[in-house]
Amino acid sequence: SDLQKQEERGELLQPLIFVSLVLCSILLYFKVSLMDPGFVKPEEEEGEGKGQGVVIPQVAGDIKLQRCGYCLVKQPMRAKHCQLCQHCVRRYDHHCPWLENCVGERNHPLFIVYLSVQLVVLLWGGHVAWSGLYFEQSWEWLQHNIFLLVSFLLIFIFTIVVLLLLLSHLYLISCNTTTWEFMSHHRISYLRHSELENPFDQGIILNLQRFFC
């Protein structure tokens, strides 16, 4: 049959890989959006403050753990309360409206993997949409190709957004900082009193190793 001939020629391999990537992207989306991003729980308070009076040697003076004014738990360093999730999140990065969940200590690496897979899917889809276009200066051509043209433009916009988001996160990860710390450096006590601009930075290789491993 035609299907068997296409399989023998390897023509079905690329569509199968593309569909697999799309399914992987969907599964990663639900995984990242539904998982615990690193909520600070009240039962974890015991022993939380031991040895954390000074976590960073470059910080001037003791930085005491503060109790959250919303959920009343002791906040570990780099944690922040999210008013949308109504929880304090460890190594809080940001609250993602597309995921309807925070990106924090536990799901941040998976979030990066999700963005990477999504970027590959968008680039592949953009290539398919572009390859289906042939340009002619006529109204009839526009009527027949308007769907492909709109699809390509939408894919191009989303690709730019995802690419910029992924690159910005990889840059922050390589510096061992978070979006929240980067944007609110002047308002965070353990950064404001630090002798260094970023006391968590231990070099690109070690920063990436600790984040992903």
Side-chain angles (χ1 to χ4, degrees):
S1 63
D2 292 338
L3 191 62
Q4 288 177 331
K5 291 179 180 179
Q6 288 179 337
E7 185 178 1
E8 291 174 358
R9 292 195 299 265
E11 295 177 0
L12 295 179
L13 184 60
Q14 288 190 358
L16 286 175
I17 294 175
F18 180 76
V19 171
S20 299
L21 286 172
V22 172
L23 291 176
C24 181
S25 174
I26 294 172
L27 290 174
L28 283 169
Y29 172 84
F30 284 109
K31 177 67 175 176
V32 176
S33 63
L34 296 175
M35 75 180 294
D36 178 355
F39 294 136
V40 181
K41 299 176 175 61
E43 60 268 19
E44 297 174 354
E45 283 190 24
E46 186 177 352
E48 186 72 48
K50 295 179 180 179
Q52 287 199 13
V54 180
V55 178
I56 319 170
Q58 294 84 2
V59 173
D62 290 358
I63 303 297
K64 302 296 184 183
L65 294 181
Q66 297 180 347
R67 191 170 290 276
C68 177
Y70 296 96
C71 54
L72 303 179
V73 297
K74 279 189 177 180
Q75 287 184 330
M77 190 169 287
R78 310 190 80 179
K80 182 184 180 297
H81 183 86
C82 175
Q83 296 190 19
L84 295 173
C85 292
Q86 297 183 349
H87 283 286
C88 286
V89 181
R90 295 176 180 275
R91 202 181 182 278
Y92 175 87
D93 188 86
H94 71 286
H95 182 92
C96 181
W98 303 105
L99 299 172
E100 294 186 4
N101 193 15
C102 283
V103 175
E105 184 178 74
R106 294 189 62 189
N107 65 349
H108 200 172
L110 271 181
F111 178 71
I112 299 300
V113 176
Y114 165 70
L115 288 179
S116 303
V117 174
Q118 192 66 46
L119 181 62
V120 173
V121 171
L122 287 169
L123 289 172
W124 198 330
H127 172 72
V128 172
W130 179 262
S131 63
L133 288 171
Y134 59 96
F135 294 96
E136 293 179 6
Q137 295 182 352
S138 66
W139 176 250
E140 185 179 355
W141 173 88
L142 185 62
Q143 285 182 318
H144 285 91
N145 292 274
I146 187 66
F147 177 75
L148 273 177
L149 192 59
V150 171
S151 299
F152 177 77
L153 290 176
L154 287 175
I155 290 173
F156 178 77
I157 293 171
F158 283 123
T159 300
I160 296 299
V161 172
V162 173
L163 178 61
L164 292 176
L165 189 60
L166 178 61
L167 290 177
S168 64
H169 273 275
L170 289 175
Y171 169 75
L172 293 175
I173 291 166
S174 68
C175 299
N176 196 4
T177 189
T178 64
T179 303
W180 171 59
E181 290 171 341
F182 181 78
M183 300 295 292
S184 307
H185 188 279
H186 62 287
R187 294 192 290 113
I188 302 173
S189 59
Y190 58 81
L191 294 179
R192 192 171 64 247
H193 296 98
S194 172
E195 297 175 1
L196 301 176
E197 184 177 353
N198 180 14
F200 299 109
D201 189 6
Q202 296 181 307
I204 295 177
I205 295 176
L206 192 56
N207 290 339
L208 293 174
Q209 180 184 352
R210 289 195 169 186
F211 180 83
F212 287 105
C213 302

